[in-house]
Amino acid sequence: MKFLFSILACFVLSQAVFAQAPGSLDLTFATIGYTSFGPTSTSMDNAQDIVSLPNGQMVFCGTSGTTGNLEMCIGKMNANGSMDLTFGTNGYYIFPNAAGSDFAYDMEVLSNGNILVAGALSITAANPKWAMICLNQNGTLNTSFGTGGVFSVDIDSGEDYARKILLTPTHILLAGNSKVPGFNTNRLAVARCDYNGVLDLSFGTAGIGLITNGQSLTCFSAAQGSNGDLILAGDAYISNTYYPMIAKFNSSGVVVTTFATSGVWVNMAMN
């Protein structure tokens, strides 16, 4: 079954004013208010995040490929729902990696127009590592960032997925998960690099902060507190039940043990 990127214009073109009922589809977008598309007619595609640019264009990220060999995919659209064919190849940039499936979950557009995309790249099919790529405005890899355009962290021999990018004036933060090797238990993780894509070894322990408390904790998003704390949101899987979860690291990547129970809040009354 083919999964297509689907984007509803009424949520991303809020700067335009139309003589239509509030909440109705913007029929000036792709003539019907939405569009579905993908790099090829046979690829399995999904979009995970989208950013609107000042000129009304949009960039989005997700995956594209075939079972067992999905790739990071970034595309750029014009305000009217058509692809910007000057971006990458026919509107798309696809990061090649034959080692296994790769994933893109979050993106940020920097002040210079470069695009950061975070997720995971497979070292082997069973061992994805945290990865963040940097693209130039035209959809080409910015090879001056990290190693050949890629910042990556193999936290452990299990599966690692970066889910959220957070920006500070001097650093780039990533939040996500790392599986305990040999188990299905998720640990919460944060990492920090500079704007050149170099791991900041002064952050956490050798650049990485981890929360391992015996529960399976999954991060889906994150935010920065007013004091620089890193607040991770997701769920805790306990005794075959999922519960809402919030966890906190300080700005140095150390668990805030005074928050809830050793840095992790779980609402056991809401499953």
Side-chain angles (χ1 to χ4, degrees):
M1 179 178 179
K2 178 177 173 57
F3 299 93
L4 297 174
F5 293 115
S6 296
I7 298 176
L8 295 176
C10 58
F11 295 113
V12 294
L13 295 180
S14 58
Q15 70 272 27
V17 178
F18 304 99
Q20 296 174 270
S24 63
L25 285 175
D26 171 14
L27 301 182
T28 68
F29 182 81
T31 70
I32 55 175
Y34 62 90
T35 182
S36 299
F37 48 90
T40 72
S41 60
T42 58
S43 59
M44 295 193 299
D45 312 308
N46 72 80
Q48 293 286 333
D49 195 26
I50 187 167
V51 176
S52 181
L53 303 178
N55 64 0
Q57 289 185 305
M58 297 154 279
V59 288
F60 58 89
C61 69
T63 57
S64 179
T66 57
T67 302
N69 191 33
L70 298 171
E71 309 288 10
M72 277 190 177
C73 180
I74 300 90
K76 187 175 183 181
M77 299 178 66
N78 297 309
N80 64 3
S82 63
M83 294 301 298
D84 178 358
L85 301 181
T86 68
F87 182 86
T89 301
N90 296 325
Y92 301 93
Y93 172 81
I94 298 176
F95 187 88
N97 179 25
S101 284
D102 308 320
F103 305 90
Y105 295 115
D106 192 42
M107 65 191 311
E108 290 286 345
V109 177
L110 302 178
S111 59
N112 64 2
N114 285 352
I115 303 164
L116 297 175
V117 181
L121 294 175
S122 285
I123 303 172
T124 66
N127 185 18
K129 62 181 178 179
W130 276 23
M132 179 169 57
I133 66 173
C134 182
L135 298 183
N136 299 309
Q137 296 182 52
N138 63 359
T140 59
L141 195 63
N142 179 5
T143 55
S144 66
F145 179 83
T147 301
V150 181
F151 168 76
S152 64
V153 179
D154 186 20
I155 298 174
D156 229 322
S157 59
E159 299 176 41
D160 305 323
Y161 300 95
R163 300 300 297 256
K164 185 67 177 177
I165 302 171
L166 300 171
L167 303 179
T168 76
T170 57
H171 290 91
I172 304 167
L173 297 155
L174 290 176
N177 296 105
S178 174
K179 285 190 181 296
V180 176
F183 297 92
N184 290 322
T185 302
N186 281 329
R187 301 171 293 182
L188 301 177
V190 290
R192 186 168 78 180
C193 69
D194 63 21
Y195 277 85
N196 294 316
V198 178
L199 183 66
D200 179 3
L201 298 178
S202 69
F203 181 82
T205 301
I208 301 168
L210 286 172
I211 291 181
T212 305
N213 67 356
Q215 301 169 341
S216 187
L217 307 174
T218 300
C219 167
F220 293 111
S221 191
Q224 295 179 76
S226 59
N227 62 352
D229 282 350
L230 308 178
I231 305 162
L232 279 61
D235 64 45
Y237 185 63
I238 304 170
S239 300
N240 298 319
T241 303
Y242 292 96
Y243 300 93
M245 181 279 304
I246 301 289
K248 187 179 284 192
F249 294 83
N250 68 19
S251 59
S252 298
V254 177
V255 180
V256 181
T257 56
T258 56
F259 175 77
T261 303
S262 300
V264 180
W265 172 87
V266 178
N267 188 344
M268 300 292 288
M270 184 182 294
N271 59 344

